[in-house]
Structure formats: C-alpha cells, structure tokens
Amino acid sequence: MPLTVRSILGKDGLSGCKVYAGHNGIDKDFKSISVLEITEKKMVKWMLPGQVYISSLYAIRDDVPMQREIIQIIAGNDCRGLILCHLDYCLKTVDGSIIKLCNELGMPLIIAEPNRSYIEILSPIFERVLRGDSNWSKSNFYYNFRRDVLDLAANAKGVHDFLSRIHELFHVAVSHFDLLVHPIYSDKPQKAVEKESIYIKKNMMEIRDHCSYGNYYTWEESGGTQLIALVNNSNRVYGFIVIDPGESVLEEEEYEEFLATLSFSCTMLGNAGQNSTDVLEQHANEFYTSLFSGNFTSNDVALKRSQEVGIDISKADYLLVIDLCNLTKEFKIKPEKVHRDVCIQSIPVILELIRFYNATNLAVFYEGLIVVLIENRGNRIDIMDIAGRIAEVCAGMGEVHVSVGISDMIAEIVTISKAYQQAHFAASFGEWMPQNPQILRYADVWSLDFFWKNPNERELLQMEERVLRPLVEYDHFNESDLVVTLKCLLLNNMDMKETANRLFIHRNTLLYRKNKIIELLGYSPFEVPYVMNMMLIVLGGNLETFDRE
C-alpha cells in the first residue's frame, strides 16, 4: 500500500516534527524521498514527480523571495511535501509568506527537530517505501536485496553490530577502515588486516580514482581475491571496505550492489549522532568559499558569518596557500580526490605548529589546497620561516613537490579574497621551480601577475615604491647610487665589466654595491623570479625618478 505524508509524521526521524502549513495535502501518497540542497532553477532538470524533499535551504536562508520561488518550482513538479532540517542552525525561522504559500499550494511544510540529520530522517522512510510495494520488491532482486541490508543497518546498534550480522548472513569476511586507513572493524585475522591497510595506503590514489565512478576495486593477491570499495556519499569519502568473498552466498554479478549498499549503510551508521557537527562543518566550508571568492560585501557581514560558524578571522594578517603539485599532474584527476588524504593528515600538525603563536590561526582544506591564515601583528614571527616549516610538514606526509605562496599583508577582512588570489598565484608559479619545497611571496612574482592583468601606471608606481624603498632610503641617507647601479646592471644583463665602465667605477666597487643591494633587499634581484619584477620597473621607465646620472 502506498505511503502517505501523514503515515510518516511523528515516526522515526520525524518524531517531534511539526506541520507548519499545507495540512490539506498530508493524505497524498508519495513515491520516494530525496535530499534537496541545490536551490537553483536548474534543479527542475532532474526532479521527479511524487517526491517528498528534505532540505535546510541553507544557500538561500536569507533570501525569502528565492525561497518562495523554489517552493513554487518543486510544487509545480508534483512535490508531495517539504521537510525542513536544522532550523536552529540554518534558516533560523520560517517567514510568514512561506507558510501562506504552502497553504495555498496544498503542499505540506514539515519542520523536523533541529538535531535530526538527513540520514536519520531519510533512511527509515526509504526503507518503508521499499517495503510498501510488495510486487515491486519481489520482482526486482536488487531492491529486495538492498532492503534486506538496509533492514540490518536500521536495526543494528552500530557499525560493529551491523558488519558482524553481514558476515553471518552473507558469509563474507569484512574489514572497515577510516579515511586514514585505521581499522574500525574486521572479522579477519590481524595479519590480514595489517596487510590490507598497507595495500590501501600504497595504492590509495589508484583505488580512489577507480572507485570514484561507483565501481569496486579488485585486488588479486596470493591469498585470493579481495574487493575494495569506498565508504562515501556524493560529496565526501569516509573510509574503505574490503571484503573477502570466501564462502559467500552471493553471485559475482551481485557484488557491485552489495558493496554500494554496505557503503551507504556504513556512512549512515558512522554519521549517526554527529549531525550537528556535520552541519556546522558544511556551513564552515560554505563560509570559506564565500570568504576566498570575495562574496562578502563588508567586513561586518563577513564577521557575522564567521561568528555563526565559530571562526575568528578578525586578526588574520597573511594568507598562505600550500599546493601539493605533482600529485595532480601525475594522476591527472581532480585535486580533491588526490590531495585529501595528505591534507587531512597534514592539517592537524600544521594547526599545532601555527597555534603555538596564536590560538586563532587557521588551516583549512579548500579546493585541493591547504589555506593558512596567520596573525603577525608587530611582525613577531618570520612568515618565510613558518612557511618553510609548514612545507616540511606536508612534504613529510607523502612524496610530493610542495609549493607555498604567501600573500601581501591583509589590509581588511574583505581583502582576504585578494590575498587568496595572490598566494594562489605565487604557489602556482612556484610549482614550476625545481627546488622542493618552493616558497614564494606574491611580492616575489607580482610582475608576472601585473603583465597578465595589464596594470595601470599608478599600480606600477606603488609597487615600485614598495620594492625599491630599502635602496631609495639607503641612497638618501648615504648619498650613494644603489638604485642607479641596480638599473645599470639589469639593462646590461648583469655584465660586471660593461656596467662598471658605464658607471665609471672600479669593478670591486660595483661588486660591493651589488652585494649591498642584495643585503638590503634580502634577496638577489638579479635571479629568477625576482629579476622579472625589477625588469618590469626598468622597462616601465620608472627608475628615471631615482636616476642621479
């Protein structure tokens, strides 16, 4: 018998729920239940009729007109009900116009208890959907099979209990590992588990790449065939499952569905009780996306959003981007699928390192990169030194080429997005340098960025003043000619003899000036990448301001 919206109210994950609107639609039947977090018009392309949708409306939590538009869209696609999750964490309150609209449309608007996760609501309802149409279940082995496994998961006390029942029912030996390949459960001998752990660590990139398309990975070894699958959902990987078919009652063609169902069930059981943490983590990731993309219109708006997710960005002075370069190039797959394991291991160590200086310093994983925000009020720490130590941490976690980009000093919160672009540019340039690790400040390579962005004269003059300030000040107080010497060396391709002749000075005097220039700047402006900055200034003709010839 088909399920109605009324029949799922007050039960399982919807215990304690409230129907805010659309009461006259609660006796309509529905076909299935889905999560809806893509709150854009394009979602109509994949929407199905007769669905109940679960959503937090987080992306449009402050946009009531868009909320109304989305509700009209899903109602127009025969939505049978909308369940709102995490009201305390996301939407905060439901606008009166939304309640009025749902009443007009006859579409039930149900508010779940704030601490209920998607999976707690979805799983028991989905199971009842499968049980509800007996002919469908009996006619399709895979749905019937999936129902049996989900039934075990729904009644299990945890992952250990669930997997031990799987072993008893299907006669397969199972190992379950977390993302760092630490064993969570296994019914195999300890030596076999250790062997599996070593194999996954060694072949993690290949396994994740293969399994990312919904397949399982086959490992042929002396003891027989092992099947490896990811424990994941569409957005995140939580770990690995390894099964030994052994005396299994399953046929070969049934393993793909079996492993997919095990993955879903272990994800569900592993996340139970962590719903609030997951929501806050999701919100933190969305906050970083807005922060680094420049989506905040003011410092106050950015600070308010940061406080909502418990992040302090008010004291950030510098932004560092750490790029683990050669992984992406070698395997030619998306950075997040390659770097995530190294980054997850690296970030806790980086946090321990940078929070020694300040408890609010941050290190996060963002778009395949590690992004670090550091406070350095009063220049109490050496940013280059910290960058070097962070690079060593990352290099020690895997055989990778590490490139670190350092932004200019952050002027205000809304310019953090600019600092991210600067550090990202510097890290991308450092990727092609032979040294490992390669650490570059944006100030080291700004000329290339300027060439691509076609800077105006004012921007170029500002950068010139900043770069040459140590030499200009030294010349002013010592009546020397270091700026002119720098210009002449660059224009004569660092030819010491020719430059000395043009300046009418002895070669030893020129060598002294050259070394003094390097000492004052803190680097050699005659070597890559710094020489490009200097050549841009020279070619721009702006050194004429300081030319005392």
Side-chain angles (χ1 to χ4, degrees), residues 58 61 279-296 298-314 362 364 366 373 413 416:
Y58 179 76
R61 62 195 181 283
V279 171
L280 289 176
E281 182 181 347
Q282 177 186 351
H283 293 182
N285 291 336
E286 291 173 349
F287 166 75
Y288 286 124
T289 298
S290 297
L291 182 68
F292 300 144
S293 301
N295 293 336
F296 292 123
S298 70
N299 293 331
D300 291 340
V301 172
L303 276 175
K304 180 182 177 183
R305 288 285 182 239
S306 70
Q307 291 165 359
E308 288 178 3
V309 293
I311 297 169
D312 186 356
I313 56 172
S314 62
L362 295 167
V364 298
Y366 178 72
L373 284 165
I413 293 172
I416 287 178

Side-chain angles (χ1 to χ4, degrees), residues 385-405:
D385 178 63
I386 292 296
R389 296 170 69 183
I390 291 173
E392 289 176 4
V393 167
C394 296
M397 295 291 179
E399 296 180 2
V400 296
H401 179 86
V402 181
S403 176
V404 182

Side-chain angles (χ1 to χ4, degrees), residues 86-105:
H86 311 306
L87 193 63
D88 285 357
Y89 304 110
C90 304
L91 199 60
K92 303 297 183 183
T93 185
V94 180
D95 189 82
S97 65
I98 300 297
I99 296 175
K100 180 181 178 181
L101 177 61
C102 289
N103 281 326
E104 292 173 354
L105 296 171

Side-chain angles (χ1 to χ4, degrees), residues 123 145-170 172 174 176 185 187 231 241 243 257-270:
S123 182
F145 168 78
R146 186 177 179 88
R147 184 203 66 190
D148 291 340
V149 176
L150 288 173
D151 184 59
L152 286 178
N155 293 287
K157 297 177 182 179
V159 172
H160 287 70
D161 183 34
F162 168 67
L163 292 178
S164 64
R165 293 188 186 186
I166 289 292
H167 178 74
E168 294 172 3
L169 183 61
F170 295 100
V172 293
V174 183
H176 178 23
Y185 168 88
D187 44 37
V231 177
I241 291 175
I243 67 168
E257 177 66 19
F258 176 71
L259 284 164
T261 310
L262 279 189
S263 172
F264 174 83
S265 301
C266 288
T267 301
M268 176 184 69
L269 292 169

